[in-house]
Amino acid sequence: MKKLAVLSGAGISKESGLSTFRDSDGLWENYSAQEVASIEGWYRNKALMLKFYNERRRQIEHTEPNAAHKILAQMEKDWDIDIITQNIDNLHERAGSTKVIHLHGLITQARGENHENTIYDIGYKDIHLGDLAPTGDQLRPHIVWFGEAVPMIEPAIRIVEKADILLVVGTSLNVYPAAGLIQYITPGTPIYLVDPTAMNLHYAHYTQIQDVATKGVAKFAEMVAPLASKSSK
Ligand code: APR
């Protein structure tokens, strides 16, 4: 099957009811990213950051995948799809996608603050100051904060390099290294971008579907259906 790489951002989860970050009603309108999503913020006020992510986790627990997540999951029958998401929600997985890389971590995972590679599934449980990981240190969300490395960027680059098509959906492409993934496509690879905001990427084979994710991803699936090759590549 042909390889479809998907780079998704907060916009794909907007119609599920989750806020984006940089839209006018986005999270960074009400919170300072430096205060609640950076490693400096963690050492300044752990309780505030734990509260911020407890709120996100509770909201995500009561949120459902939307049609955009579901269509991408259904496309796995005709495409070898890898989802590379910047989102910390688990909506791609809950829609049925089986290959998902979380560049910025996953809200249902946690780890000791001094053990970034020993990760625990905590579901939707709150984390409080004083909750210790089995490694004996303060438990923290397994989220990549501003100022921290993005360990999954290498596997994500490998995926983009091998893609036959790249779909970018619901991201302002403001944050690196995620936004830089696009430059790893092999020349001539078509890029499709689903976003209601006009965005002009300077690539030869670039198509923007200027719509919300639920409609734009449906249009994308229709447009590329003829390109899916049933034969194994
Ligand atoms: N459907 C599709 N796209 C949408 C929709 C929608 N219904 N509504 C908004 N968008 C688009 C916006 O136009 C914007 O381009 O989604 C994008 C959201 O951009 P951001 O809010 O910047 O979110 P994102 O790109 O995911 O942010 C990247 O920044 O703060 C960090 O770690 C955080 O992972 C996040 C990263």
Side-chain angles (χ1 to χ4, degrees):
M1 286 202 264
K2 283 193 174 169
K3 293 182 179 305
L4 167 60
V6 181
L7 174 62
S8 70
I12 196 171
S13 299
K14 179 89 178 281
E15 291 158 275
S16 293
L18 294 179
S19 306
T20 61
F21 292 94
R22 294 171 184 82
D23 286 327
S24 52
D25 57 351
L27 276 174
W28 297 154
E29 290 297 305
N30 305 314
Y31 293 92
S32 139
Q34 275 309 320
E35 258 188 313
V36 295
S38 74
I39 188 60
E40 295 82 9
W42 176 248
Y43 288 111
R44 205 174 19 252
N45 188 338
K46 295 182 184 179
L48 174 65
M49 280 189 55
L50 290 172
K51 176 174 174 292
F52 177 74
Y53 284 98
N54 289 344
E55 288 166 0
R56 306 274 71 68
R57 199 174 297 106
R58 271 186 234 125
Q59 190 187 18
I60 288 166
E61 179 181 16
H62 303 298
T63 300
E64 293 300 322
N66 62 52
H69 299 105
K70 290 176 187 165
I71 291 165
L72 291 177
Q74 286 149 16
M75 286 178 73
E76 287 193 1
K77 65 183 185 326
D78 295 322
W79 294 85
D80 175 4
I81 300 186
D82 282 284
I83 309 265
I84 303 164
T85 188
Q86 300 170 85
N87 300 339
I88 62 172
D89 67 52
N90 55 0
L91 298 179
H92 281 298
E93 291 89 340
R94 285 164 56 193
S97 287
T98 57
K99 294 198 285 176
V100 183
I101 284 186
H102 285 270
L103 288 178
H104 297 159
L106 183 55
I107 195 67
T108 53
Q109 292 183 335
R111 60 175 177 85
E113 62 179 326
N114 304 317
H115 293 80
E116 62 191 53
N117 298 319
T118 315
I119 298 158
Y120 310 100
D121 284 314
I122 60 165
Y124 301 102
K125 272 188 22 241
D126 283 357
I127 304 178
H128 297 292
L129 214 47
D131 291 350
L132 300 183
T135 42
D137 44 351
Q138 171 65 51
L139 201 61
R140 57 160 274 188
H142 181 55
I143 303 284
V144 176
W145 287 327
F146 286 108
E148 294 188 305
V150 179
M152 296 306 286
I153 195 67
E154 283 303 324
I157 289 170
R158 300 288 86 78
I159 286 165
V160 173
E161 283 172 338
K162 294 195 194 97
D164 295 302
I165 290 190
L166 174 65
L167 170 66
V168 178
V169 46
T171 174
S172 63
L173 295 171
N174 261 304
V175 173
Y176 287 78
L181 279 171
I182 296 184
Q183 66 198 3
Y184 289 93
I185 57 166
T186 46
T189 303
I191 302 180
Y192 290 81
L193 182 135
V194 171
D195 197 305
T197 308
M199 294 165 77
N200 194 3
L201 302 189
H202 303 290
Y203 283 89
H205 305 274
Y206 171 67
T207 310
Q208 173 161 5
I209 303 169
Q210 193 165 348
D211 210 333
V212 294
T214 52
K215 296 201 183 83
V217 170
K219 281 181 201 158
F220 166 76
E222 221 176 281
M223 286 166 83
V224 298
L227 305 177
S229 63
K230 306 286 185 269
S231 61
S232 59
K233 184 170 173 184

